[in-house]
Each structure stands twice: as structure tokens, then as C-alpha cells.
Amino acid sequence: MDDCIFCKIAAGEVPAKTILREVDVIAIEDLNPQAPSHALVIPVSHHATIADLTRAEPALAARLIAVAAQLGADRGGAQGFRLVVNTGELGGQTVGHVHVHVLAGRQMSWPPG
Ligand code: 5GP
Ligand code: ZN
């Protein structure tokens, strides 16, 4: 996708604070962190939403969650963490390339805003 910021970051064309870079998945620090620790786990291949990814590449969707959960465990430890996948307009998604937010380091509230 020519104008997709996360495709550009995955391709190394736009800089980001990279936590992990593998063939199929990357993890970066969020530019505008909403918690003391706020990472994004992103598949290298472009899919707009988690629903699209799950339909097209179910094994990669599972891997995305597994990598995010491991990162959350690494960063949140016994205190815990939160994974978020905003999806579509009502879901609050602002970047149209699926990604998992990994938030840790503060008390999260419920319900979400
Ligand atoms: P969404 O609103 O789609 O769930 O999440 C998009 C996230 O991507 C936001 O938390 C936003 O701060 C982050 N973001 C947007 N553009 C960039 C960027 O160029 N670099 C990084 N590292 N994060 C970005
Ligand atoms: Zn993309």
C-alpha cells in the first residue's frame, strides 16, 4: 500500500523506535504513548483490519496476538497489561493497517472511552 504509514515503517522507509523486527511481524513504540509503556505490534503484510487479517491469514493473526501477549508479559510482568485492537470508524481505528496496542505500566479503566 503506497500511502500506508505502517507499510512504510515495516519496509524501513519511515523511522520508528523498533522493539522487534521479524520477517512477518514488527513491534514499535507508539509515537503518542497512552501509558508508560505503549507498543504496537504490526504484521508486515498489509491488511486493513483484524477481521481482514483473520480471514486472509489466520495463522498470522494468531501470531500477532502471540507476539503482543509476550511483549505485554515482558513489559507488564505480574502487574498485567492490556491488548487493544481498534477496528473501523466506531472502533476508533485511525491507521488502516491492523495493529495491536500493548499498554502497560498504569491502572487501566473500564469501560473504555
Ligand atoms: P489506532 O488509532 O489506529 O488504533 O492506532 C494508531 C496508533 O498509531 C496511534 O496510537 C498513533 O499514536 C500511532 N501512530 C500513528 N502514526 C505513527 C507513526 O508514524 N509512528 C508511530 N510509531 N506510531 C504512529
Ligand atoms: Zn499497510
Side-chain angles (χ1 to χ4, degrees):
M1 291 288 153
D2 288 348
D3 59 350
C4 172
I5 185 68
F6 287 172
C7 279
K8 288 180 179 166
I9 289 173
E13 294 166 5
V14 168
K17 286 186 188 167
T18 303
I19 301 159
L20 170 153
R21 176 175 287 278
E22 297 191 2
V23 174
D24 53 350
V25 171
I26 63 167
I28 62 172
E29 303 290 354
D30 197 292
L31 203 58
N32 182 23
Q34 301 300 312
S37 173
H38 186 173
L40 301 172
V41 181
I42 303 169
V44 170
S45 56
H46 181 94
H47 299 277
T49 70
I50 189 69
D52 291 336
L53 173 63
T54 301
R55 271 190 293 270
E57 297 194 67
L60 182 56
R63 183 157 153 67
L64 196 70
I65 299 299
V67 170
Q70 183 61 57
L71 188 57
D74 290 346
R75 292 188 157 197
Q79 288 193 305
F81 59 90
R82 181 174 288 185
L83 304 185
V84 175
V85 186
N86 296 323
T87 304
E89 190 179 344
L90 286 185
Q93 184 175 5
T94 61
V95 175
H97 178 137
V98 60
H99 49 282
V100 181
H101 296 260
V102 183
L103 299 147
R106 69 167 169 84
Q107 180 63 58
M108 301 295 160
S109 60
W110 194 265

